[in-house]
Amino acid sequence: MGATLLTRSGEFIHAAPWSVGSQGSANVSHGCTGLSTEQAAWLYSMTRRGDVVEYTGTDRAMTLDNGFGDWNRGWAEYRAGSALG
């Protein structure tokens, strides 16, 4: 069983059978999204590189400075932070 890297800073989706009892109700990870072994196998069989991962059901926003990628920024914000100003 593998893992899917989401960010350059180390955010992964992976099987985490040790945390099944907490999944979906408590944050017991250091940034990764843990799945049961069965859920991870399904996810890996259904997704391909480049597929969008969207988190719902949380009030915690993903941060743009945690390696999530420039494509999460609007063009004006991206350009303002570039050498072009």
Side-chain angles (χ1 to χ4, degrees), residues 1 4 6 16 19-21 31 33-34 39 43-44 47 52 58 60 63 68 73 78 80 83:
M1 188 69 49
T4 299
L6 297 178
S19 67
V20 168
T33 300
Q39 290 170 332
L43 180 71
Y44 300 150
T47 58
V52 173
T58 180
R60 185 175 159 208
T63 59
F68 287 93
R73 298 182 188 270
Y78 181 82

Side-chain angles (χ1 to χ4, degrees), residues 1-7 10-16 29 31-36 39-41 43-44 47 51-55 62:
M1 188 69 49
T4 299
L5 179 65
L6 297 178
T7 72
E11 174 87 20
F12 284 88
I13 296 176
H14 61 82
S29 173
C32 294
T33 300
L35 305 167
S36 70
Q39 290 170 332
L43 180 71
Y44 300 150
T47 58
D51 284 352
V52 173
V53 175
E54 181 178 351
Y55 285 85
M62 296 280 194

Side-chain angles (χ1 to χ4, degrees), residues 46-84:
M46 297 297 292
T47 58
R48 300 292 175 256
R49 181 179 297 200
D51 284 352
V52 173
V53 175
E54 181 178 351
Y55 285 85
T56 62
T58 180
D59 58 1
R60 185 175 159 208
M62 296 280 194
T63 59
L64 293 174
D65 60 352
N66 193 22
F68 287 93
D70 292 330
W71 54 86
N72 290 310
R73 298 182 188 270
W75 174 247
E77 183 182 6
Y78 181 82
R79 185 177 169 122
S82 75
L84 299 173

Side-chain angles (χ1 to χ4, degrees), residues 16-28 34-37 39:
W18 57 88
S19 67
V20 168
S22 299
Q23 291 172 8
S25 61
N27 183 2
V28 295
L35 305 167
S36 70
T37 302
Q39 290 170 332

